[in-house]
């Protein structure tokens, strides 16, 4: 009478012990929030109506029987989201005490609350809740056949898949679910899995990092050459194509940290392109029609570049030329400002000093050769151009520094966020 729960006294619940072995994690679908795994479910219970004396039956201690002849507890997994494709006519072992052990293989497509924020360094905690459809606690109580630790260890040693996901551990807790007036016994297993990030690190993070590094290094291309902007534009284009191609690898729902990282890389590139445009504009302005330089800017320039400056220019600073002591070696004068004056100044500080006292000659320019009257306007303009060029280079260095600072801080922030998850 397999239609009825086999029990002698109907007010005594059937005790059903379950355990399982997880043998593969086949797929985790972040969009549908599904985990597909493969497991062997083992269900054990007593049937008090099956009993024999092994001595009378030729020492047979246990028999296999088809499940069609037995009452089977209806254990199901609550998170199950697919039709059960388990073959129906399976066998079960029955021993002489009436203890029935029933194994069935299951491909479990279970719903799992996936948090992809830390993708691709994420860990997921999927639950498998075993319970009965119809039997309440008065009729069926669930127990554990093995400790969760044992289940975890056998699964870890048996697991076949070397795919994207690694099984970390399996934990268990027991709970009763209340629905209306009836209570159902449940056993909840927490399956902790971790993604192997190497695929994503190699395909997503490294190329991004390289492109941003090249973008940062391209600041060393001279701004005057006009190569910098096209170079950066090509990089930006390449990065866009890269993002388009790699879009398939990203989870589609939610905003993982990696998307923020990509957006950050892209904006760094855009910002650096804008900076290049700005500097190019500034240089163009400086070389074609330099506007008069505001005094504050001028003093700022003087202040920041005075140790490298070769031409004392303002009348009140005329004695600057005297500062050119022999300690000012040519090596000290590297950088774009070196072109400010003909090299004669550097070599003949005493000439400069001798000419200083005559105000007519050095009122606006300390360069002795350009002090002659016909060339004065020309020289003045050239000087202004030089100042603006100097200013552009200063701005370039400053913005490059800010760019590096922003890049370093944001990337470190992202990495720290990723690492906090790992510590956990
Ligand atoms: C069934 O079990 C309950 C509780 O253990 C007990 O009170 C009752 O007498 C039993 N009934 C029979 C018929 O044995
Ligand atoms: C279920 O397991 C418990 C201990 O874990 C044990 O006492 C009980 O006999 C088991 N029941 C069956 C039906 O195997
Ligand atoms: C999984 O989640 C459950 C409850 O949400 C928690 O008790 C358990 O510790 C988590 N396990 C892991 C490995 O994070």
């Amino acid at each position: 009478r397999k239609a009825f729960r086999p029990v002698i006294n109907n007010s005594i619940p059937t005790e059903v012990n379950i355990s399982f072995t997880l043998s593969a994690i086949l797929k985790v679908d972040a969009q549908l929030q599904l985990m597909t795994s493969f497991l062997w479910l083992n269900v054990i219970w007593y049937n008090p109506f099956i009993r024999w004396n092994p001595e009378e039956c030729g020492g047979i201690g246990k028999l296999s029987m088809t499940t069609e002849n037995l009452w089977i507890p209806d254990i199901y997994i609550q998170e199950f989201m697919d039709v059960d494709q388990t073959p129906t006519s399976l066998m079960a072992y029955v021993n002489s005490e009436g203890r029935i052990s029933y194994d069935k293989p299951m491909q479990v497509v279970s719903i799992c609350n996936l948090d992809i924020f830390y993708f691709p360094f994420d860990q997921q905690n999927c639950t498998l809740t075993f319970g009965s459809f119809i039997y309440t606690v008065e009729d069926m109580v669930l127990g554990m056949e093995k400790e969760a630790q044992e289940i975890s260890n056998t699964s870890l040693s048996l697991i076949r898949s070397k795919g994207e996901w690694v099984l970390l551990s399996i934990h268990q807790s027991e709970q009763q679910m209340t629905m209306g007036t009836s209570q159902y016994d449940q056993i909840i297993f927490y399956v902790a899995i971790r993604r192997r990030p190497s695929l994503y690190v190699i395909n997503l993070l490294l190329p991004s990092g390289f492109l941003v590094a090249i973008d940062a290094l391209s600041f060393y291309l001279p701004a005057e050459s006009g190569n910098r902007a096209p170079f950066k534009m090509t990089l930006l284009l390449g990065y866009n194509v890269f993002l388009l191609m790699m879009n398939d690898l990203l989870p589609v729902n939610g905003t993982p940290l990696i998307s923020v990282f990509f957006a950050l890389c892209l904006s760094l590139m855009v910002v650096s392109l804008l900076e290049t445009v700005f500097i190019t504009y500034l240089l163009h302005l400086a070389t074609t029609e330099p506007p008069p330089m505001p005094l504050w800017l001028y003093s700022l320039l003087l202040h920041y570049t005075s140790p490298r400056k070769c031409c004392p220019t303002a009348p009140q600073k005329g004695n600057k030329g005297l500062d050119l002591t022999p300690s000012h070696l040519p090596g000290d004068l590297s950088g774009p400002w070196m072109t400010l004056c003909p090299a004669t100044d550097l070599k003949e500080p005493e000439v400069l000093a001798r000419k200083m006292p005559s105000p007519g000659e050095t009122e606006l320019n300390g360069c002795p050769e350009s002090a002659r009257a016909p060339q004065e306007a020309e020289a003045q303009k050239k000087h202004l151009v030089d100042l603006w060029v100097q200013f552009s280079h200063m701005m370039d260095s400053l913005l490059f520094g800010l760019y590096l600072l922003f890049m370093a801080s944001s990337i470190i922030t992202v990495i720290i966020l990723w690492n906090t998850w790992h510590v956990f």
Side-chain angles (χ1 to χ4, degrees):
R1 277 174 283 169
K2 64 179 179 124
F4 302 99
R5 185 167 68 94
V7 72
I8 292 168
N9 182 340
N10 201 44
S11 53
I12 294 173
T14 307
E15 192 178 355
V16 175
N17 283 1
I18 55 173
S19 91
F20 69 92
T21 306
L22 191 71
S23 65
I25 298 162
L26 301 175
K27 201 169 84 185
V28 176
D29 188 331
Q31 188 182 7
L32 299 175
Q33 303 263 303
L34 291 177
M35 174 178 82
T36 310
S37 55
F38 198 83
L39 53 87
W40 290 86
L41 178 65
N42 178 227
V43 186
I44 290 170
W45 70 98
Y46 276 102
N47 186 332
F49 300 113
I50 303 177
R51 194 173 281 267
W52 70 86
N53 189 347
E55 270 124 52
E56 287 171 15
C57 308
I60 295 170
K62 63 177 185 179
L63 281 172
S64 63
M65 283 175 79
T66 61
T67 52
E68 276 147 23
N69 299 320
L70 292 168
W71 172 85
I72 305 275
D74 65 331
I75 301 296
Y76 79 110
I77 297 174
Q78 259 184 28
E79 287 82 10
F80 208 90
M81 285 292 141
D82 204 355
V83 280
D84 192 354
Q85 291 159 352
T86 314
T88 43
S89 53
L90 287 166
M91 308 289 277
Y93 260 126
V94 185
N95 80 357
S96 55
E97 254 97 64
R99 183 174 183 268
I100 302 174
S101 168
Y102 170 59
D103 280 290
K104 72 171 179 175
M106 291 172 90
Q107 179 174 323
V108 181
V109 180
S110 59
I111 194 140
C112 178
N113 189 8
L114 299 170
D115 177 11
I116 43 105
F117 182 68
Y118 292 97
F119 173 90
F121 302 103
D122 51 342
Q123 282 182 16
Q124 306 295 348
N125 188 358
C126 292
T127 50
L128 295 174
T129 309
F130 290 84
S132 166
F133 255 129
I134 55 161
Y135 292 109
T136 57
V137 275
E138 287 94 47
D139 288 335
M140 190 192 284
V141 289
L142 295 178
M144 297 278 290
E145 179 63 20
K146 295 188 228 165
E147 290 296 310
Q149 189 59 43
E150 208 185 326
I151 293 178
S152 183
N153 288 345
T154 28
S155 300
L156 278 172
S157 63
L158 262 176
I159 201 145
R160 300 262 172 231
S161 51
K162 289 271 179 287
E164 193 183 341
W165 293 88
V166 192
L167 177 69
L168 292 180
S169 62
I170 298 173
H171 293 280
Q172 163 264 331
S173 79
E174 274 164 64
Q175 251 181 31
Q176 291 199 341
M177 183 182 65
T178 313
M179 274 181 104
T181 52
S182 34
Q183 284 200 317
Y184 297 86
D185 217 10
Q186 286 185 336
I187 297 183
I188 304 174
F189 289 95
Y190 299 103
V191 180
I193 51 177
R194 182 168 55 78
R195 198 192 294 269
R196 286 193 176 96
S198 52
L199 169 77
Y200 302 97
V201 170
I202 291 171
N203 283 318
L204 295 175
L205 293 182
L206 277 189
S208 279
F210 285 146
L211 283 177
V212 170
I214 294 174
D215 187 56
L217 286 178
S218 68
F219 273 99
Y220 286 106
L221 288 177
E224 288 96 338
S225 73
N227 278 342
R228 208 202 264 181
F231 185 79
K232 280 184 192 280
M233 206 112 76
T234 318
L235 272 185
L236 194 62
L237 199 67
Y239 194 61
N240 270 319
V241 173
F242 163 78
L243 283 188
L244 270 184
M245 277 165 50
M246 290 304 152
N247 222 5
D248 297 346
L249 282 181
L250 290 181
V252 273
N253 56 336
T255 311
L257 200 55
I258 198 168
S259 301
V260 179
F261 175 76
F262 287 153
L264 201 77
C265 290
L266 197 68
S267 48
L268 276 174
M269 288 183 171
V270 169
V271 163
S272 86
L273 185 61
L274 286 180
E275 192 266 2
T276 304
V277 168
F278 174 63
I279 295 296
T280 312
Y281 168 71
L282 215 58
L283 278 172
H284 173 74
L285 204 69
T287 45
T288 50
E289 40 181 282
M293 185 162 269
L295 198 61
W296 60 269
L297 193 58
Y298 179 69
S299 19
L300 203 73
L301 264 183
L302 271 190
H303 182 255
Y304 281 107
T305 60
S306 53
R308 306 179 188 182
K309 189 172 57 75
C310 63
C311 298
T313 45
Q316 71 269 26
K317 304 216 171 166
N319 57 350
K320 271 259 163 168
L322 298 169
D323 290 343
L324 291 171
T325 51
S327 68
H328 285 232
L329 298 170
D332 202 23
L333 297 157
S334 56
W337 343 160
M338 244 185 92
T339 51
L340 263 178
C341 253
T344 46
D345 285 13
L346 311 172
K347 286 168 189 158
E348 300 167 306
E350 67 281 354
V351 175
L352 200 63
R354 203 181 57 234
K355 294 211 171 209
M356 257 334 122
S358 57
E361 275 186 10
T362 56
E363 193 169 16
L364 277 159
N365 200 315
C367 303
E369 281 169 43
S370 53
R372 271 168 275 158
Q375 292 172 1
E376 194 159 332
E378 182 68 18
Q380 219 170 324
K381 189 186 173 207
K382 181 176 176 298
H383 181 59
L384 199 57
V385 167
D386 286 343
L387 276 178
W388 274 109
V389 168
Q390 190 178 339
F391 171 70
S392 311
H393 284 295
M394 232 178 75
M395 281 304 280
D396 195 22
S397 316
L398 181 75
L399 291 175
F400 179 43
L402 285 179
Y403 171 89
L404 280 187
L405 200 72
F406 177 69
M407 180 168 103
S409 54
S410 49
I411 286 179
I412 285 172
T413 312
V414 168
I415 286 174
I416 285 175
L417 276 177
W418 264 327
N419 266 336
T420 48
W421 180 254
H422 261 290
V423 173
F424 165 71

